[in-house]
Amino acid sequence: MPFPFINSLISWFLKKRKHQVELFLKYPVDVQNELLFKLLKTAKNTEIGERYNFSGITSYSDFAATLPIQKYESIEPYIERCRKGEQNIFWPSQIRWFAKSSGTTNAKSKFIPVSDEAIENCHMKAGKDMLCLYINNNENTQLFIGKGLRLGGSSAIYEDNNSYFGDLSAIIIENMPFWADFSSAPKQEVALMTEWETKMEAIIEETIHENITSLVGVPSWMLVLLHRVLEKTGKNNILEVWPNLEVYFHGGVNFNPYREQYEKLIPSKDFKYYETYNASEGFFAIQDKNNSEELLLMLDYGIFYEFIPMHSYRGENSVAIPLEKVEKDVNYAVVITSNGGLWRYLIGDTVKFTATNPYRIKITGRTKHHINVFGEELIIENAEEALKVACNKTNSCIRDYTVGPIFMEENSKGGHEWVIEFKKAPESISFFTELLDNSLKACNSDYEAKRYNNMTLAMPKINLAREGLFYDWLKEKGKLGGQHKVPRLSNSRDFVEELLRLE
């Protein structure tokens, strides 16, 4: 069991890292450029390095002109060769680990290579930094007096051709240093259990009598766990179960739709929420201030960043810019070059910079998860801002939602069809719909133009989902837990129609 002196020892160790963070805060462009050429030099004798003559690249403009921007489909043949045992294809050190990811709830899986360098110098380093930044902002923390409850993916690690694949969270747990595992709950064999619902019960049994001081996991799934903890214990709120709980480190989905529910479950003004931005491809950003909605872009994790303005986004045919050329409040697609062997790789996320000194961002959505069937350019940030306004004005609360298009027919206009599962439904769904529509107009001029006089888009259509619909949908697809999440916006009707069939 952790003791007070461990709290002081680990706090001292983590605070030392703060000086390195200050270096990239002061010299961000230099740090990124130095990193790019270190990656090129390291991989110059790989198959990819020789194909694109990494040794001959002497500037960022050379790099951008020589290497193409790539999606997963373009590099999949190389990854499959690596999974079958070939090495030195896109990274010189042995690649043994592959993070299995479906991106959303699509059936097709991706296998993202995770090198030892990416584990140690990106994911593990980020875990330490998450704690470092929190501790530096909260000098009186007693985080290590107890344990952190980790809620990772529901897949164990599988072996194939001497390589290993599974959820990234499972890979990280497998490679955790002893001190991190020592201060975490549940124990590794429970954390890596495959069957999600059995695993939830095992986690509850193991942790309800522990001194839990922090939570780590995706908001939607952590919420399910916390509700089950209250059902199991008969307590009124989570602080009655874990009185020393002080912070929740979360990521994976926008937290704002869940905030009110968490504040009811954890009724303390002193409780902290810290957001992180990580994915199978890497760990990218961490909230570095208390009570902030901005994330500090971490520039020394072995990841070189480029960005594509979404107004000129053309997938792999896009023109990207380096970090030094980004501007505030522009929606960008993220491109990375990493110490896992990903070269100018489109990760599929979009962000906006809220500051450039230092570089801080907000996640705005996915390149694929928007609706632009009628030129309305609706992104997740717009949808969730509008939902927040509508919920506040109707005293309602949303558990889950998805949106798809209503395509134009001969005698009908186009529109958007919403499927919303409310935790607390509004008294009038028509009033809620009107508020939602007006809020979308207020935050998106393209949507407003298409809605003008109902010329192109009709009023949104909202379907009230039964309780548990989204959970049942994910369960049917075998996508419970971990990083699996509901796709919010789509240019097709597939998700909407699948959900309505389960009603």
Side-chain angles (χ1 to χ4, degrees):
M1 178 179 178
F3 295 97
F5 78 89
I6 295 179
N7 187 61
S8 300
L9 181 66
I10 296 177
S11 295
W12 171 82
F13 173 76
L14 292 169
K15 284 180 183 179
K16 293 176 65 179
R17 162 67 176 151
K18 192 72 167 61
H19 301 297
Q20 295 170 300
V21 173
E22 288 168 353
L23 182 67
F24 76 67
L25 291 178
K26 191 173 182 180
Y27 305 106
V29 175
D30 292 338
V31 168
Q32 276 281 281
N33 286 337
E34 182 180 332
L35 173 60
L36 172 61
F37 289 102
K38 181 179 179 181
L39 292 171
L40 290 167
K41 182 178 179 181
T42 301
K44 67 181 182 180
N45 295 323
T46 62
E47 181 180 320
I48 295 295
E50 291 179 351
R51 171 175 296 180
Y52 291 107
N53 189 25
F54 282 8
S55 297
I57 295 175
T58 59
S59 65
Y60 168 74
S61 57
D62 281 354
F63 172 72
T66 303
L67 274 76
I69 292 172
Q70 301 177 96
K71 294 182 179 179
Y72 183 80
E73 291 73 18
S74 300
I75 63 173
E76 184 177 25
Y78 301 108
I79 291 174
E80 285 304 304
R81 285 170 53 200
C82 188
R83 288 186 65 213
K84 291 176 181 177
E86 289 188 59
Q87 295 294 335
N88 203 42
I89 300 171
F90 40 77
W91 191 248
S93 64
Q94 185 180 22
I95 305 284
R96 298 176 299 139
W97 302 94
F98 295 85
K100 185 180 179 183
S101 167
S102 60
T104 59
T105 55
N106 296 337
K108 183 177 175 60
S109 294
K110 298 177 181 178
F111 293 90
I112 304 298
V114 183
S115 66
D116 289 344
E117 292 90 338
I119 292 173
E120 184 64 31
N121 298 321
C122 181
H123 295 288
M124 293 297 182
K125 191 175 182 179
K128 297 173 191 174
D129 283 354
M130 178 180 75
L131 297 173
C132 169
L133 292 167
Y134 176 77
I135 289 168
N136 273 276
N137 289 329
N138 300 278
E139 294 284 347
N140 297 320
T141 179
Q142 294 296 299
L143 206 59
F144 297 102
I145 293 295
K147 293 186 176 183
L149 192 162
R150 58 192 179 189
L151 183 60
S154 57
S155 294
I157 297 295
Y158 301 93
E159 184 176 358
D160 183 25
N161 293 310
N162 293 318
S163 68
Y164 302 87
F165 67 89
D167 284 359
L168 175 68
S169 56
I171 292 173
I172 299 305
I173 290 170
E174 283 273 2
N175 287 277
M176 267 184 146
F178 80 92
W179 64 267
D181 195 45
F182 178 65
S183 61
S184 300
K187 56 183 177 288
Q188 190 174 106
E189 51 264 43
V190 172
L192 294 176
M193 287 175 68
T194 301
E195 207 285 310
W196 175 251
E197 292 184 321
T198 304
K199 171 180 170 175
M200 291 279 274
E201 295 308 312
I203 290 174
I204 293 169
E205 287 293 335
E206 182 177 331
T207 60
I208 55 175
H209 301 298
E210 289 277 9
N211 180 23
I212 300 298
T213 54
S214 66
L215 305 173
V216 184
V218 175
S220 52
W221 299 115
M222 183 64 74
L223 198 60
V224 174
L225 175 67
L226 297 183
H227 278 299
R228 292 194 181 179
V229 166
L230 294 184
E231 290 173 11
K232 181 77 174 181
T233 60
K235 303 295 186 182
N236 295 313
N237 66 66
I238 293 299
L239 294 178
E240 291 181 4
V241 182
W242 299 311
N244 296 318
L245 191 65
E246 65 174 84
V247 60
Y248 174 29
F249 298 104
H250 62 86
V253 298
N254 185 341
F255 186 63
N256 285 331
Y258 302 97
R259 185 176 296 277
E260 184 180 344
Q261 297 179 63
Y262 274 91
E263 289 172 351
K264 288 180 180 177
L265 286 171
I266 308 170
S268 169
K269 293 182 180 179
D270 296 327
F271 189 79
K272 303 291 192 301
Y273 297 90
Y274 262 63
E275 185 175 1
T276 63
Y277 176 21
N278 62 313
S280 299
E281 296 87 355
F283 206 119
F284 308 127
I286 305 171
Q287 179 182 328
D288 66 319
K289 298 184 293 184
N290 287 341
N291 306 314
S292 173
E293 293 189 354
E294 301 174 303
L295 304 179
L296 180 67
L297 191 64
M298 307 302 286
L299 303 179
D300 63 349
Y301 286 177
I303 298 172
F304 178 78
Y305 294 98
E306 296 174 89
F307 301 90
I308 302 168
M310 282 303 290
H311 62 75
S312 61
Y313 181 78
R314 300 292 182 272
E316 291 174 310
N317 297 316
S318 303
V319 175
I321 59 174
L323 182 66
E324 63 198 274
K325 293 188 177 179
V326 300
E327 299 176 355
K328 288 169 56 178
D329 300 320
V330 175
N331 209 29
Y332 292 105
V334 182
V335 178
I336 66 166
T337 291
S338 77
N339 55 3
L342 298 174
W343 298 95
R344 304 200 81 199
Y345 179 79
L346 267 167
I347 64 172
D349 289 343
T350 59
V351 302
K352 280 184 181 178
F353 283 85
T354 57
T356 55
N357 184 25
Y359 289 97
R360 289 196 175 95
I361 61 171
K362 289 182 73 172
I363 305 162
T364 56
R366 300 278 294 172
T367 54
K368 289 183 178 179
H369 294 176
H370 64 283
I371 300 182
N372 192 32
V373 174
F374 312 102
E376 67 273 43
E377 291 286 358
L378 189 71
I379 63 174
I380 291 175
E381 185 182 39
N382 302 150
E384 300 206 327
E385 177 60 30
L387 285 171
K388 180 180 178 182
V389 171
C391 285
N392 287 342
K393 291 185 177 180
T394 59
N395 193 28
S396 56
C397 181
I398 286 175
R399 182 175 283 124
D400 256 318
Y401 75 93
T402 194
V403 193
I406 300 171
F407 293 107
M408 290 180 177
E409 294 182 357
E410 187 175 348
N411 297 313
S412 64
K413 296 181 175 65
H416 294 162
E417 184 165 10
W418 297 64
V419 181
I420 302 178
E421 182 180 336
F422 286 94
K423 182 176 175 63
K424 181 181 179 183
E427 289 184 11
S428 169
I429 197 64
S430 61
F431 182 50
F432 183 93
T433 305
E434 183 181 336
L435 289 169
L436 178 69
D437 183 51
N438 287 335
S439 298
L440 289 171
K441 292 175 185 175
C443 66
N444 184 318
S445 58
D446 292 314
Y447 178 87
E448 181 182 32
K450 302 303 178 292
R451 281 282 294 120
Y452 181 71
N453 284 342
N454 295 320
M455 288 179 62
T456 304
L457 287 178
M459 179 74 82
K461 176 182 178 182
I462 294 182
N463 297 286
L464 272 68
R466 63 170 171 80
E467 184 176 353
L469 175 64
F470 285 88
Y471 186 92
D472 291 345
W473 182 57
L474 290 168
K475 184 177 181 179
E476 184 181 77
K477 290 176 169 290
K479 300 294 183 181
L480 290 179
Q483 295 291 323
H484 299 304
K485 43 192 174 282
V486 174
R488 298 308 192 193
L489 308 180
S490 175
N491 279 312
S492 83
R493 289 186 53 78
D494 293 349
F495 302 129
V496 166
E497 290 181 356
E498 286 178 12
L499 283 158
L500 293 178
R501 280 197 293 271
L502 282 178
E503 272 285 24

